[in-house]
Amino acid sequence: MSQTTSRSRRSGIRRGEAASGWLFTAPVIILLGVFLVIPVLMALWVSFSDWGGRGSPFSSGVNFVGFKNYQVLLTGGGLAEQDFGMSLKNNAWYVVLVVPIQTAVSLGLAVLVNRAILRGRGFFRTAFYFPSVTSSVAITVLWLFLFSTSGAVNKVLSWFGINGPNWFNDPSGIFHFGIQQGPPVLTGNTLLGVSWWDWVGGPSVAMTAFVIMAVFTTSGTFMLLFIAALQNLSGDITEAAMMDGANGWQRFWRITLPQLRPTLFTVLTLGLIGCWQVFDQIYTGTKGAPGKTTLTPAYLSYKSSFIDQNWGQGAAIAFILFVIIVLFTIFQRWILRERSVSKRRMRRYEVPPGGGANANGNSGLTPATAVASTGSLDGRGTN
């Protein structure tokens, strides 16, 4: 009898805790529903309709057109497909260049300013982080002056005998190396209305200036994330590795970097999302010029909706971009996942019955050697 009463009392307490939890989270849930979930669902409906931007998208005059807006963008064969393909090409190269460079730069800066022997670390942290808190519009305007034909960048290049390009007015791809006409096998075949010659040509000179600006403005933010992660690492394993004779590069590559895996995934994911959503720099700077070589899906979605009043295509572009970001994030998560160590590799560190050296002449497994070999603290790492 007493056990039944105790169980009912515990269940009643749990129900009360659940009710209290829902009560405290209800305001946030309501706000997210009103200002996030409902607008997203409305935009999803607009992508399947012919709404022209006037009146309610749920009025009787708005018709359901199915996947027509998506088909025009992906298989339409017209100007809409060409513009969308060009925007994907530009943004893809932007992501390929910005994400790894800004990650490497931010990690390098974090390791540099985290060193105890560095004087004035607070000053350098502030200096590196300052561009991240500056308005992106102000940075873009500054970039337009610096990278103009007679700007400071070309002036510095002239000191070394280099004739700087007309940065924001040059549509040529940086990987074309001045070649105006490509081979027929590349120029005669297209993907989303854009020739393979343009796809492999890399970003334009104008887009390259935006790549440099992105690395300059975002590396400081990710540097702080890496600094926080580095300060939470234990120094015992590093000291053990030093006693084992590991040099600085081996300690960083085999011990420090594997422990930064969660932070690395966060930095890569945030960088990936931010790069695919680049808009304000394009809107302030070039608006897609020259020759649509700085056009991005985010700006194209804005242009289709607010300028061309083609709200269905604008919403469709936004949701295609959403799918691209999700797929890249999942792929990135798969690449950085924890992998179990193979049995063949683990046998290298097994202690023989006599407690002496193993078959390879190595002594027993030390903590530093284990981390250096497996790539993680819990005995899991890459094969």
Side-chain angles (χ1 to χ4, degrees):
M1 184 68 179
S2 59
Q3 292 180 354
T4 305
T5 305
S6 177
R7 290 176 182 174
S8 61
R9 185 179 302 171
R10 286 197 299 267
S11 61
I13 293 175
R14 291 174 180 174
R15 285 195 298 268
E17 291 177 349
S20 300
W22 283 109
L23 180 63
F24 281 108
T25 57
V28 177
I29 294 176
I30 293 174
L31 289 175
L32 290 177
V34 172
F35 295 103
L36 181 62
V37 177
I38 294 178
V40 168
L41 294 178
M42 291 177 63
L44 183 62
W45 159 251
V46 170
S47 70
F48 291 104
S49 69
D50 60 353
W51 185 53
R54 295 185 178 181
S56 172
F58 302 102
S59 62
S60 58
V62 178
N63 301 314
F64 176 77
V65 297
F67 289 94
K68 180 181 178 180
N69 294 320
Y70 294 90
Q71 292 175 351
V72 170
L73 294 171
L74 299 176
T75 60
L79 182 61
E81 182 188 356
Q82 294 178 5
D83 288 347
F84 182 64
M86 180 63 73
S87 69
L88 281 183
K89 171 254 178 183
N90 298 333
N91 215 152
W93 277 111
Y94 183 87
V95 172
V96 167
L97 293 178
V98 171
V99 172
I101 294 176
Q102 75 180 4
T103 303
V105 171
S106 59
L107 179 58
L109 293 177
V111 173
L112 177 64
V113 301
N114 193 54
R115 299 180 58 135
I117 62 175
L118 179 67
R119 294 183 179 181
R121 287 184 296 172
F123 168 77
F124 287 107
R125 291 177 185 178
T126 304
F128 293 147
Y129 181 66
F130 184 75
S132 301
V133 298
T134 307
S135 170
S136 60
V137 175
I139 293 291
T140 303
V141 174
L142 175 64
W143 230 246
L144 293 176
F145 284 104
L146 291 177
F147 284 81
S148 63
T149 306
S150 57
V153 174
N154 282 351
K155 183 65 176 178
V156 173
L157 292 177
S158 66
W159 296 346
F160 301 94
I162 302 175
N163 186 17
N166 191 0
W167 289 91
F168 288 105
N169 295 296
D170 192 342
S172 58
I174 62 174
F175 296 147
H176 282 159
F177 304 108
I179 303 175
Q180 300 298 326
Q181 185 66 26
V185 67
L186 295 179
T187 57
N189 297 286
T190 62
L191 175 65
L192 293 177
V194 180
S195 68
W196 282 106
W197 173 247
D198 290 330
W199 277 97
V200 301
S204 65
V205 175
M207 199 65 175
T208 304
F210 285 118
V211 169
I212 299 173
M213 182 176 66
V215 174
F216 174 75
T217 55
T218 58
S219 297
T221 301
F222 297 137
M223 177 197 68
L224 294 184
L225 297 178
F226 280 122
I227 289 177
L230 288 171
Q231 292 179 347
N232 287 328
L233 299 182
S234 174
D236 297 339
I237 302 175
T238 303
E239 294 176 1
M242 295 176 63
M243 295 179 63
D244 286 346
N247 57 34
W249 172 251
Q250 289 173 334
R251 294 196 303 270
F252 173 77
W253 184 255
R254 294 290 189 175
I255 298 176
T256 302
L257 191 58
Q259 295 180 83
L260 295 178
R261 188 192 302 269
T263 306
L264 187 63
F265 172 74
T266 301
V267 169
L268 289 174
T269 302
L270 293 178
L272 184 72
I273 295 174
C275 287
W276 275 112
Q277 294 179 340
V278 58
F279 169 79
D280 45 354
Q281 297 90 335
I282 308 300
Y283 178 81
T284 307
T286 58
K287 293 180 170 59
K292 300 180 180 180
T293 56
T294 60
L295 192 66
T296 62
Y299 180 79
L300 183 61
S301 177
Y302 159 80
K303 180 177 179 296
S304 300
S305 301
F306 291 91
I307 298 179
D308 300 336
Q309 293 297 305
N310 196 339
W311 291 83
Q313 284 189 16
I317 293 172
F319 279 98
I320 293 176
L321 185 60
F322 168 76
V323 173
I324 291 174
I325 292 174
V326 171
L327 291 178
F328 270 92
T329 303
I330 294 174
F331 176 73
Q332 184 174 278
R333 180 62 177 173
W334 179 78
I335 291 294
L336 295 176
R337 74 190 188 279
E338 294 277 355
R339 298 180 178 90
S340 58
V341 182
S342 64
K343 296 181 179 179
R344 177 185 59 81
R345 191 171 185 181
M346 285 299 298
R347 281 197 297 267
R348 295 169 53 189
Y349 309 104
E350 291 179 355
V351 180
N358 55 22
N360 295 326
N362 298 325
S363 59
L365 180 63
T366 64
T369 309
V371 175
S373 303
T374 60
S376 64
L377 289 172
D378 56 358
R380 292 178 296 172
T382 56
N383 288 317

